[in-house]
Structures are given as structure tokens and as C-alpha cells.
Amino acid sequence: MNMKESKAKVPYRYQLFLTTALLTMMGVVLGGCNLLTAPSTIVESPQSSALSPLNSKAKYHISWTMHQNLPVPQDAEMLNVVEEQFGVDLDIWNLENNKYESLLDMKLAQGNIPDLFRIRQPQDLLKYQQQGVLAEIPVETLNTYAPNLMRIIHEQAPAYQKAGVIDGKYYGIPVINPTNIYRTPVVYRQDWLDKLGLTVPQTLAEFEKVIYAFTYNDPDGNGIQDTYGLSNEGMNVVFGAFGQIVFADQLYFGTKDGKKVIGALEPEMKEALAYLNKWYKDGVIDPEFVTGENKGGYKHLSHAFINGKIGMTSMGNYYHWIQDGDYEDWRVEPDGKVVKSPAQAAFNVKELTAKFPEARVVFGKPFTGPHGQRGSKGNDLLMSFTAIGADAVKEPGKLEMILRILDEVSASPDPDKASSMTYGVENKHWVWTPAEPRNIVIMPPYDTMFGYQNTIGANIGMTVPLKQTGEREQWAATLHLDQDGIYNALEVATPALAKYSDLLIRLKNKAYIAFISGERPLSEFDEFVQEFMSAGGAEVLSEANE
């Protein structure tokens, strides 16, 4: 039975009763284990009456922030399902993901605090807590009203279950992305390599040879010198060849001799910058690297690569670089039959081959530097936090209602319900695969519609750390992207980092751009380090090591 039929046949008052009854039973079963302690620690079960209706006459207005690729219409189909089930009005704040923090901060400056508060960068949890815009979430309340969500985190990501605790109080539910075990890929134009008689580089010296050929040997065959080797995202693989990551949304920390260090300050970065400065002078680096490879829209698209301007990048994730036939995947045929067929190009490759049908890409390992190091940027498993806005707790029962909704849309124990909350209506938007392990197959035309989940109001919850078993993830496991990743050694913020982070990132980026472009001589690198330390970096580093 699809969800439309279910909604039509079961009156809302009975839906609410059944939902409450189900949650009550789950509270009795799961409530006995304190999900924020070690598995062996048992506490008294909360009273089952805690899950009784929260004033069934109330109709809460709940403002909600989430990850978005497209705006969510206020009358979206699945949004209406959730609103009717819980008797609430959901106000989705459509904040463009590329500009999320600036748009959110503008709202906060105007005195508007979202009730369901997405914190995109984990290091920002402390900043928002210090600003007083977050509410404490009592652990007992969290375990009682979001039991499934907390059970999954407790069982699948126990190392992170206390990540959202500040001064002994719980402020953020950790969002753990299981696919972040895979680092960013290192991508080349295979057809350019083939034309120039080159192979995927394994060392920095071989990489240098490739990018000079991409620039000067007319790899696109148009007779014009209008191509370059790399842009800013590829530079992180160069820094990785010296053991560090520099260009990222947050300060990347490393570990050296048992202590935390800030990668951008390490002396070996002078060596990496010397290469980049030389390449920039020789015209091998895209002169527009300062503005980045993405020119708007979906943030994981490298327009410089798509438009045939550069031949190497390290942008996005593995699933942004799928080529036709990389693996066999399920699809729904026009007659409704679910069959396996070759995967189709996605995201960057789809856009690239639409412009250049002959184009092909290939993944390479991060190339090895002169001291035997290599790596590309790794995204931490702790992807973000979900928090509660400070104003939400001023209305009795609202916090509990938000947690109930969050639990339902993120971690329902019913596979059919969980799939509907994420992908839409069964047999309309998706179907199950006919073979085990059961996985979701998106139906036409939604399977080729970018961001369709946003447009129907599905997937409004948070990512949970459940193992991914689909064909795409099985393919990813064969790519060895779980090796050679450079991850941030400091996943959450200290008070000094919360205070100085934005300033320090701007200072670091400005200096690195100047060193690469030659506006500032590399002889001033140590002077830059001192400027950084004086601007709060010393305090940040001291706290990180405490």
C-alpha cells in the first residue's frame, strides 16, 4: 500500500494514536539503556507515560534547517505527510548550501533562531553555543523521544556519541556520515593522457610532467593554448604530497611527534608552495584558481574541469565522478520491471560528456612527494551536528515534539517507513530491489531529476551511520579510497578556535594565494606564521594540545 492510500484510509486521530503507541512501546524496550554511556551501563527505564501525547490540541509551528540542493516547497508532498502525522506546521528555511553559514548568521542577527538547528561545520557547535542560540538537550529527554536515532549512534558510532557535549551538557546530536571513510578522489582526463602518451602519475615529478603537457601540448586538439594542469582543488593533493591539507572550509590539524599542529603552518609547506609558485609563473595553474573551480549551483561540480579548462582535480566525492558502465546498478524499466543495467554517468562526468562526448576520466592515487608522503583530503566521519534552537524550549512540549519528528524522519525502525521518509512514496518515487540485500531503486522520472527529494519534501532528517549496501557503495569499496586520506586531527572546536577560526582561515587563504601568485615572496613564510600565531593561532594551538 502506498502512502497516499494509507493516509486516505486511516484518519489522522488514529494515526496519532498508533504513532504514540508505537513510540511508547519503543521507549519501554529501548529506554532501559542510557545511550550516551558505555553499552554495559544500565540505568532505570523512564516512565512509559513520558511518551503520552504532548497536548494533542497543540499545533506547533516548527522552523527547520537541513541540507539542501534545491529549495523545499512549503506544500511539498512528504512535508505534508509529516505535518499531518504529528499535527504540526513545518517551516523549512531554504538556505542555499553553498552560502549556508552566511545566510544562517544573517537570520540569527535579525533575531530569528531555527527550532531544528543544522550546524554544517562541526567546529561551529561551540561558537553557536557561546552565542546563546542553542538549547541544552537533556539526555533523558533525548533518549526518550529519539530512541531509534540514539540507538543507531550508540551501536554504530560509539566514539562520537558524546561529541556534542559542552561543559557536561548536551547541545548537538552528532551527524555521522558512513561514506566519509572514503577520501576525495584524484581525477584526471583519461582522454588527454591517452592523446599525449602519458600515464596516471605516481610521483610529484611525474605529476609535474603531466600538468605541463596538459598546458602546452594541446590536449584538447583545438590548436589554442587554452588549457591548464590544475586549479585550487588539485592543490590539496600537492600539499598532501608533503603530509598536510590547506584549502578547506576549516583549519586542518595534523599530528606530529605526538602533538597537534596546524598543517598550513608547517615548514614543509614552503617546499610545496615553491612548486606551486613555479607552476603559476609558468602558466600551468588556472589563473582563476582564486575564485575556485565551482562557479555556483551544486557545490561539488568542478566547472573548470567540466568546461575543459583543467585536466586534473580533487573535488567532490567518488559518486560525483561515476562514468557510464562503472558498475551494474538497478533501474526501473517503463513496464515497471526492476532490472540490472550499466550505471549511467553522474554529476561532473555527466556534465563533462554533455560538452565533450569523447571525454573520459580516470582515478589515480595521490602522488608521492619527495619525502615519501601522499594523500588527498578526507572528510571527517563527524559531518555536522543537529541542534535545537534556544527559543524552541520556551514553548512547553515543543522540544519533545521536535525530537519525535527527528527520530521518525531520520531513524524509523520500519524499513518501509524509513525509506518513505527519505525517498518519498513507495511505487511512485521508489521501489525495493527484487534481490537481497534489499535496496532502494528510484523510479523514472525521479531517477534523473537532480534534487527531487528536496522538491517533494523528503529526506528532511539527519544522516545516520548505518552501513551502506548498495551497488554504488560496493563499487566505491573497490577503488581503495579508504586509503591515503588526510583527515582533520581536531574534529570539534576549542573556545579559541570558535573565536578566531574565521579570521585565521581568511588570513591563511590570503597568504597562500599571495605566495602562489608571487605577490608575496616565499621568504616571508615565517613572517606569515608569526602573523597567524599573533592573530589567535597561538591560543588555538595551545588549546588544541591541552
Side-chain angles (χ1 to χ4, degrees):
M1 179 183 292
N2 66 33
M3 296 191 70
K4 275 190 172 180
E5 292 171 341
S6 175
K7 187 166 73 171
K9 292 183 179 181
V10 183
Y12 165 72
R13 62 181 181 276
Y14 296 118
Q15 290 181 32
L16 183 60
F17 172 78
L18 291 171
T19 301
T20 303
L22 176 61
L23 286 168
T24 302
M25 288 188 287
M26 289 191 293
V28 172
V29 173
L30 298 171
C33 177
N34 185 341
L35 302 179
L36 294 178
T37 62
S40 59
T41 304
I42 304 297
V43 298
E44 292 184 7
S45 172
Q47 296 295 322
S48 60
S49 61
L51 286 175
S52 58
L54 301 168
N55 182 2
S56 58
K57 294 182 180 179
K59 188 163 186 176
Y60 297 102
H61 179 89
I62 300 172
S63 52
W64 195 280
T65 53
M66 54 180 277
H67 175 88
Q68 291 175 282
N69 293 320
L70 292 175
V72 177
Q74 287 301 132
D75 61 348
E77 180 176 359
M78 295 308 299
L79 207 60
N80 290 337
V81 170
V82 176
E83 288 178 326
E84 185 171 332
Q85 178 177 339
F86 290 95
V88 299
D89 286 324
L90 291 179
D91 175 18
I92 305 293
W93 284 11
N94 288 313
L95 305 178
E96 184 182 344
N97 198 50
N98 284 7
K99 305 174 183 176
Y100 180 79
E101 281 78 21
S102 60
L103 294 173
L104 175 61
D105 289 345
M106 189 181 302
K107 286 265 195 181
L108 296 175
Q110 295 169 348
N112 300 314
I113 304 173
D115 296 319
L116 195 283
F117 199 125
R118 176 194 177 218
I119 300 175
R120 189 174 70 132
Q121 297 292 342
Q123 293 186 351
D124 285 343
L125 178 69
L126 181 59
K127 177 182 77 174
Y128 289 122
Q129 186 268 342
Q130 290 177 335
Q131 290 178 5
V133 295
L134 303 183
E136 178 194 353
I137 313 173
V139 171
E140 183 177 350
T141 302
L142 185 60
N143 288 337
T144 300
Y145 290 94
N148 300 298
L149 181 57
M150 299 314 297
R151 172 181 53 78
I152 292 172
I153 294 172
H154 172 69
E155 293 177 353
Q156 303 299 326
Y160 291 96
Q161 55 190 348
K162 291 188 177 181
V165 175
I166 299 174
D167 295 332
K169 297 179 180 180
Y170 204 80
Y171 286 95
I173 305 170
V175 180
I176 312 300
N177 188 343
T179 64
N180 277 2
I181 61 171
Y182 302 122
R183 58 170 172 78
T184 55
V186 181
V187 184
Y188 298 88
R189 281 286 295 268
Q190 176 71 71
D191 54 315
W192 286 12
L193 291 170
D194 292 343
K195 180 180 178 183
L196 301 174
L198 299 169
T199 58
V200 173
Q202 302 298 317
T203 66
L204 181 61
E206 292 176 359
F207 177 71
E208 184 173 56
K209 180 180 177 182
V210 165
I211 58 176
Y212 272 77
F214 281 175
T215 304
Y216 292 115
N217 294 359
D218 194 21
D220 58 0
N222 67 356
I224 304 171
Q225 190 177 315
D226 58 354
T227 56
Y228 302 92
L230 73 160
S231 187
N232 66 307
E233 292 294 334
M235 291 179 186
N236 271 327
V237 190
V238 180
F239 297 130
F242 295 86
Q244 306 296 340
I245 295 296
V246 172
F247 288 143
D249 291 337
Q250 53 188 269
L251 286 177
Y252 255 61
F253 287 74
T255 303
K256 185 180 287 187
D257 300 326
K259 293 185 176 181
K260 296 285 191 301
V261 297
I262 297 172
L265 306 184
E266 289 303 287
E268 55 264 31
M269 290 297 96
K270 286 189 285 187
E271 218 176 329
L273 284 167
Y275 279 93
L276 292 170
N277 175 250
K278 175 181 181 293
W279 297 344
Y280 184 83
K281 287 178 180 176
D282 289 348
V284 174
I285 293 175
D286 178 2
E288 295 183 4
F289 83 92
V290 176
T291 58
E293 297 179 27
N294 177 269
K295 305 305 180 184
Y298 187 49
K299 72 172 187 174
H300 294 297
L301 293 178
S302 170
H303 294 105
F305 194 96
I306 290 167
N307 294 327
K309 197 173 186 182
I310 58 174
M312 175 270 177
T313 187
S314 183
M315 189 164 191
N317 292 305
Y318 61 93
Y319 47 83
H320 297 119
W321 296 97
I322 296 168
Q323 294 189 93
D324 287 339
D326 270 343
Y327 57 93
E328 293 277 311
D329 206 355
W330 296 98
R331 65 180 176 85
V332 181
E333 292 188 325
D335 61 2
K337 189 176 181 180
V338 182
V339 299
K340 266 194 171 182
S341 64
Q344 296 182 337
F347 297 104
N348 283 288
V349 179
K350 181 180 179 181
E351 299 285 340
L352 173 68
T353 52
K355 288 179 175 289
F356 309 104
E358 76 288 351
R360 298 291 181 271
V361 302
V362 62
F363 285 4
K365 277 187 175 182
F367 42 82
T368 305
H371 311 295
Q373 298 164 299
R374 69 183 183 195
S376 68
K377 183 171 63 178
N379 297 305
D380 294 314
L381 291 177
L382 179 59
M383 183 170 65
S384 58
F385 282 106
T386 298
I388 303 296
D391 290 343
V393 295
K394 296 177 182 178
E395 195 171 346
K398 192 172 189 178
L399 168 62
E400 292 81 355
M401 178 61 80
I402 293 170
L403 293 177
R404 284 172 57 179
I405 296 172
L406 184 65
D407 195 61
E408 178 78 351
V409 299
S410 306
S412 173
D414 180 341
D416 293 319
K417 190 61 176 289
S419 299
S420 292
M421 290 294 99
T422 303
Y423 298 103
V425 179
E426 186 175 5
N427 296 321
K428 176 182 178 181
H429 300 113
W430 63 273
V431 294
W432 288 111
T433 55
E436 296 291 340
R438 292 177 66 195
N439 282 299
I440 299 299
V441 186
I442 307 302
M443 300 180 67
Y446 305 101
D447 58 340
T448 58
M449 290 174 58
F450 174 72
Y452 92 89
Q453 290 162 288
N454 290 152
T455 59
I456 68 169
N459 200 31
I460 70 169
M462 55 180 272
T463 299
V464 294
L466 291 174
K467 183 178 180 181
Q468 305 296 302
T469 59
E471 276 66 24
R472 187 183 76 177
E473 282 63 42
Q474 293 179 42
W475 166 70
T478 70
L479 302 175
H480 307 296
L481 296 175
D482 56 342
Q483 302 170 18
D484 302 318
I486 299 177
Y487 291 85
N488 196 343
L490 187 71
E491 292 183 279
V492 294
T494 68
L497 188 59
K499 180 178 180 180
Y500 296 115
S501 178
D502 291 345
L503 170 64
L504 292 175
I505 290 173
R506 289 196 302 271
L507 193 157
K508 177 258 299 179
N509 288 346
K510 181 180 178 181
Y512 265 71
I513 290 169
F515 288 136
I516 293 167
S517 66
E519 293 178 15
R520 188 171 182 179
L522 279 175
S523 58
E524 294 184 4
F525 184 85
D526 292 341
E527 183 181 323
F528 149 68
V529 172
Q530 290 305 314
E531 292 168 359
F532 187 99
M533 298 296 272
S534 299
E539 190 177 343
V540 166
L541 204 51
S542 175
E543 287 186 355
N545 279 292
E546 289 173 5

